[in-house]
Amino acid sequence: MLLEAAVLIVVAGLFAVVSGVNDGGALLATGLKLPTVRPATGILALVVMVAVVPLVTHQVARTFVTRLASFQEPGGKIATTIAVIAALAVAAVLSAKGRPTSLTLAIVGGLTGAGLGWGLPVSPGWVALVLAFGLAAPAVGGLLAWVLIRVLVAVATARGLGGWHRAGFLLQTLAYAANDGQKMLAVFMIALGFPGAPIAYTSLVAALFALGTLYGLPKAGRTLSREIIVFRPTHGVAAELAAGVAVIGCAAVGMPVSMTQAVAGGLVGAGIAQGGGRVRWYAAVKIGTAWMLTLPASALLGGVGAFVVKGMTQG
């Protein structure tokens, strides 16, 4: 048991760092065309939110730990280790092929598949709900951004846009910390067996996330901010506000969704509102294809891995 926990703790730490590389830059990139929020200030705000918000609510982390499947059952730590490795492997392969994807989708798929492969109780109802909310979040983000960019164009001056940007960025960081940022905490919860969110562990998660963000910021988020649309500052602000609202709404009911997906949906919605020609549809389809592949690939890899490892260790 101690060895299982030790291995999972190491894997959880790696997962937090990779989440910083994958998510941190993407969250910052949409607003970097405006000087209102400097990168150092943005990283600090994001890291503080990741550390503090779970102290208030960690419903999304509980969904990962107990609602998708019962990972506190015997064998749960090994299954979780396999799930995280499967998620990281799928994300790495897609990224290497130029198809950046969502780690949240990957870990949902990995946990579901590994739970089934190990024979843990998996809740079909919760899995279906998470999938439904995951599909809805980028669509809602897109619809909200379609409306918001019209409002911003009508009421925000060039100087006033900075204030909207600050509000949007803070809302986005709050939403990330309340929602898919908690996937990192969830893995530590399973590894160490704590039911809540002690500040020592949320701070550890935030520190590891910060390391990844610092490493990945120079190149992360490039597809979202530069490739998916012909980008203007108003697009980024509208996407931040829209994604923040959509993701916080999902967090309120404990549903993990991807902030990067919601932001991408917001960018597309904002681009369409000012003419569909602004959207680079090839890049949008490329990202959408990666999302569609991520969850089933992670579930399959996690399920097969868990089944094989269980057979080897208990057969």
Side-chain angles (χ1 to χ4, degrees):
M1 292 294 290
L2 288 176
L3 179 60
E4 294 172 11
V7 171
L8 182 52
I9 289 169
V10 172
V11 171
L14 175 63
F15 183 64
V17 173
V18 174
S19 294
V21 174
N22 190 77
D23 298 349
L27 292 175
L28 292 168
T30 51
L32 288 183
K33 284 184 175 288
L34 282 172
T36 313
V37 178
R38 297 179 182 275
T41 304
I43 292 172
L44 179 61
L46 184 56
V47 169
V48 169
M49 289 289 191
V50 169
V52 173
V53 170
L55 303 177
V56 180
T57 175
H58 53 276
Q59 289 300 309
V60 172
R62 289 185 60 196
T63 296
F64 282 115
V65 176
T66 62
R67 292 166 180 157
L68 287 176
S70 298
F71 288 98
Q72 295 170 331
E73 300 276 336
K77 288 183 174 60
I78 300 176
T80 303
T81 301
I82 294 167
V84 175
I85 292 172
L88 291 174
V90 169
V93 169
L94 288 172
S95 180
K97 292 183 176 294
R99 297 178 180 270
T101 191
S102 163
L103 268 181
T104 302
L105 274 180
I107 195 62
V108 168
L111 288 171
T112 303
L116 289 170
W118 198 270
L120 298 173
V122 174
S123 171
W126 271 97
V127 172
L129 274 174
V130 169
L131 290 177
F133 273 80
L135 289 171
V140 171
L143 288 172
L144 288 174
W146 186 86
V147 174
L148 284 168
I149 196 165
R150 295 169 183 270
V151 174
L152 289 172
V153 169
V155 305
T157 63
R159 181 175 297 180
L161 190 63
W164 287 95
H165 175 43
R166 292 188 193 95
F169 181 78
L170 286 175
L171 181 65
Q172 182 180 247
T173 56
L174 174 63
Y176 179 78
N179 201 301
D180 58 332
Q182 295 190 11
K183 62 182 177 281
M184 301 174 285
L185 177 65
V187 181
F188 277 102
M189 289 171 70
I190 297 170
L192 297 169
F194 57 89
I199 191 168
Y201 295 122
T202 62
S203 298
L204 172 62
V205 168
L208 294 169
F209 178 81
L211 288 175
T213 301
L214 288 169
Y215 176 79
L217 182 60
K219 57 183 178 180
R222 191 169 301 159
T223 300
L224 285 182
S225 65
R226 298 180 188 173
E227 293 181 12
I228 200 168
I229 64 171
V230 180
F231 190 88
R232 295 292 182 271
T234 48
H235 297 136
V237 175
E240 287 174 336
L241 290 166
V245 170
V247 173
I248 284 179
C250 294
V253 291
M255 291 295 168
V257 297
S258 170
M259 174 59 78
T260 54
Q261 284 185 290
V263 170
L267 288 171
V268 171
I272 290 174
Q274 295 192 315
R278 288 185 176 274
V279 180
R280 295 189 172 108
W281 291 107
Y282 172 77
V285 169
K286 183 172 70 172
I287 294 173
T289 302
W291 292 347
M292 292 176 65
L293 292 172
T294 297
L295 193 143
S298 300
L300 179 62
L301 186 58
V304 171
F307 183 80
V308 170
V309 172
K310 184 178 182 182
M312 293 173 60
T313 57
Q314 299 185 4

